[in-house]
Amino acid sequence: ECAGTLRAKVFETIAEAGMGGLTNDQIQERTGMLQQTITPRVYELRAAGLIMRSGERRPTRSCRNAHVLIVNPYPPTGEQS
């Protein structure tokens, strides 16, 4: 699959979780994608302003605390002010 398709899949998975959000680990559980695939897609989506960290952290399956990601409720519009 190409990066754009994978990026869309990650975005849709986070969006489906609503404001409760997901960690990368939870995205992996829901999509079956590898962490090595998820991490760059999350980076791209954050850089584009489409998703953001919620401020919450949750334990992963490996007992580490991970940032919870949510859809940015105020994504950039591309307009210059």
Side-chain angles (χ1 to χ4, degrees):
E1 291 182 73
C2 67
T5 302
L6 295 170
R7 194 168 35 251
K9 187 173 184 179
V10 168
F11 181 83
E12 290 168 10
T13 303
I14 295 168
E16 287 170 0
M19 292 307 287
L22 297 171
T23 64
N24 281 14
D25 191 54
Q26 291 170 316
I27 296 168
Q28 181 182 15
E29 287 179 322
R30 291 184 185 204
T31 64
M33 295 165 67
L34 298 173
Q35 283 291 345
Q36 298 92 313
T37 302
I38 295 167
T39 300
R41 304 300 78 85
V42 165
Y43 176 83
E44 294 161 357
L45 290 165
R46 285 188 65 214
L50 298 175
I51 64 171
M52 58 187 276
R53 291 177 177 169
S54 71
E56 180 187 355
R57 292 174 77 97
R58 287 188 196 138
T60 65
R61 290 175 286 176
S62 60
C63 299
R64 296 175 185 233
N65 282 325
H67 292 283
V68 174
L69 303 163
I70 59 171
V71 171
N72 184 352
Y74 306 104
T77 61
E79 297 176 13
Q80 299 287 331
S81 23

